Amino acid sequence: MDFPEFVQSVATRASLSREESRDLSRATLELLGHLISSGEAREFALELPDELRDYVRQGAEHTERFDYNEAVRRIHQRVGLSEPESDRGIRAVLATLRDAVSEVAFNNAMSQIGHEFLQVIP
């Protein structure tokens, strides 16, 4: 999946504009990078469109732990979407990631981010 397809998928799933979905995708991938090991981030990034790879890697430079509600709050503050839009957006990015990368890469990365994140994927 290339970058325009990724963004369009997020836009459709989250009912957001392409611009909002582009910003949301970048912010969410950086946020996910915070939740996975740097090694896993490097591996996962290899399967992403070029325009998104560095966001995961940058996030992995500062690994931390937080729950899904905190992720929604951070995306809301960073991207400027409402909290319900941020919630829908994160769900859309996760669902699009599931379609965009191999099952192995997706499962390996998601195994590190916490069970509640997996529960929100439509």
Side-chain angles (χ1 to χ4, degrees):
M1 180 180 293
D2 66 17
F3 184 61
E5 290 172 316
F6 191 98
V7 171
Q8 184 59 52
S9 176
V10 172
T12 300
R13 286 177 164 150
S15 300
L16 296 170
S17 74
R18 289 182 57 81
E19 182 178 312
E20 290 168 326
S21 297
R22 184 190 67 235
D23 295 344
L24 172 79
S25 295
R26 290 173 174 160
T28 301
L29 284 165
E30 185 174 338
L31 195 77
L32 291 177
H34 288 302
L35 296 167
I36 62 178
S37 70
S38 60
E40 187 60 48
R42 282 190 303 275
E43 291 295 316
F44 188 68
L46 291 175
E47 295 202 25
L48 293 171
D50 291 341
E51 297 87 344
L52 296 174
R53 287 181 180 164
D54 286 341
Y55 292 95
V56 174
R57 291 179 188 139
Q58 289 169 4
E61 293 174 6
H62 308 286
T63 304
E64 56 184 306
R65 289 282 156 230
F66 47 86
D67 65 12
Y68 183 76
N69 290 331
E70 177 64 12
V72 171
R73 188 189 68 73
R74 289 181 184 201
I75 293 297
H76 159 67
Q77 289 180 335
R78 175 146 179 216
V79 181
L81 298 172
S82 69
E83 287 196 16
E85 289 170 329
S86 298
D87 176 42
R88 278 196 330 267
I90 293 170
R91 293 168 188 258
V93 170
L94 291 173
T96 301
L97 283 171
R98 184 181 55 209
D99 294 343
V101 302
S102 70
E103 184 177 349
V104 170
F106 183 79
N107 289 338
N108 286 345
M110 296 302 109
S111 70
Q112 293 187 14
I113 68 169
H115 185 67
E116 68 180 339
F117 283 83
L118 292 173
Q119 291 178 321
V120 302
I121 301 173

